[in-house]
Amino acid sequence: MFDDYDTAPVFTPEQVLENRGRVAIFIDGSNLFYAALQLGIEIDYTKLLCRLTAGSRLLRAFFYTGVDRTNEKQQGFLLWMRLNGYRFIAKDLVQLPDGSKKANLDVEIAVDLMALVGSYDTAVIVSGDGDLAYAADSVSYRGARVEVVSLRSMTSDSLINVADRYVDLDQIKEEIQKTSKHHVGYNNFPVSVLDQDRSSR
């Protein structure tokens, strides 16, 4: 029944990207950090923003993360992000009984996705969290294009299924990894954030 279907893509990458319109980027910081650890790379956030925007008109790039407001190094990282094109949404880390720290920002991401519908044409969700699938599906029904960028092994099928386009971080790691000590990578981020809940689905 399915033998007649070719697995080759119908559209070229250039054709896929040419009608993205205004792009809004929503980055789940914790999810991205763990993906980078899995890939064994450090993220260059300047390269990442360029890659995700891909020549389209950027409306806004949101970066969601848990923070320790007493950590000066972490505050310096967030200042750098703000000065280099990102708008960060922070939530204080909460220590759990097992000693780990967590700041779940799924609700914030979902609310912003919905609130900005009409202001953007394409939403780029950098996360593999299946809890975002309902919001992603909702904005697609309101006319927005949805792209999901994440590491496949950390990505819920439910999120991929509602996306118009999925990009595996493993396929673009050479384009977004840090190659110079002068760029900010996940190793510059405080350990407290990496102690957050590791659940990505």
Side-chain angles (χ1 to χ4, degrees), residues 141-192:
Y141 273 101
R142 295 183 63 181
R145 172 190 171 90
V146 176
E147 299 179 4
V148 171
V149 181
S150 56
L151 186 61
R152 183 63 186 93
S153 62
M154 294 174 55
T155 305
S156 170
D157 289 341
S158 62
L159 186 56
I160 293 177
N161 290 340
V162 299
D164 296 293
R165 179 172 179 249
Y166 172 71
V167 178
D168 188 342
L169 281 170
D170 188 41
Q171 297 177 341
I172 64 169
K173 64 181 181 181
E174 301 295 332
E175 300 175 56
I176 62 171
Q177 69 179 343
K178 175 182 169 185
T179 56
S180 168
K181 294 180 180 179
H182 300 295
H183 290 97
V184 177
Y186 69 81
N187 280 347
N188 299 101
F189 211 83
V191 175
S192 59

Side-chain angles (χ1 to χ4, degrees), residues 28 31 104 106 127-133 154 156 159 199-201:
D28 179 342
N31 195 278
N104 194 326
D106 293 344
S127 178
D129 197 330
D131 290 341
L132 297 173
M154 294 174 55
S156 170
L159 186 56
S199 174
S200 61
R201 300 189 183 188

Side-chain angles (χ1 to χ4, degrees), residues 31-175:
N31 195 278
L32 180 59
F33 292 135
Y34 292 126
L37 286 172
Q38 291 290 323
L39 291 170
I41 65 171
E42 294 181 57
I43 301 292
D44 182 317
Y45 289 96
T46 302
K47 291 181 180 179
L48 177 67
L49 188 58
C50 291
R51 178 61 176 77
L52 296 178
T53 306
S56 300
R57 178 185 170 192
L58 177 64
L59 174 69
R60 193 158 292 152
F62 295 97
F63 187 86
Y64 302 81
T65 186
V67 296
D68 175 359
R69 298 184 186 279
T70 65
N71 190 313
E72 293 183 6
K73 183 176 180 181
Q74 187 181 65
Q75 294 304 308
F77 172 85
L78 295 177
L79 174 60
W80 183 94
M81 294 287 280
R82 186 163 59 245
L83 294 175
N84 284 273
Y86 292 89
R87 175 171 293 188
F88 69 87
I89 292 82
K91 181 184 283 188
D92 290 341
L93 291 168
V94 176
Q95 187 156 349
L96 303 179
D98 63 1
S100 64
K101 295 181 180 181
K102 180 179 180 180
N104 194 326
L105 286 107
D106 293 344
V107 172
E108 286 80 357
I109 296 174
V111 168
D112 288 346
L113 272 168
M114 297 295 298
L116 287 169
V117 170
S119 297
Y120 61 79
D121 301 298
T122 298
V124 181
I125 302 171
V126 184
S127 178
D129 197 330
D131 290 341
L132 297 173
Y134 186 81
D137 198 35
S138 296
V139 300
S140 71
Y141 273 101
R142 295 183 63 181
R145 172 190 171 90
V146 176
E147 299 179 4
V148 171
V149 181
S150 56
L151 186 61
R152 183 63 186 93
S153 62
M154 294 174 55
T155 305
S156 170
D157 289 341
S158 62
L159 186 56
I160 293 177
N161 290 340
V162 299
D164 296 293
R165 179 172 179 249
Y166 172 71
V167 178
D168 188 342
L169 281 170
D170 188 41
Q171 297 177 341
I172 64 169
K173 64 181 181 181
E174 301 295 332
E175 300 175 56

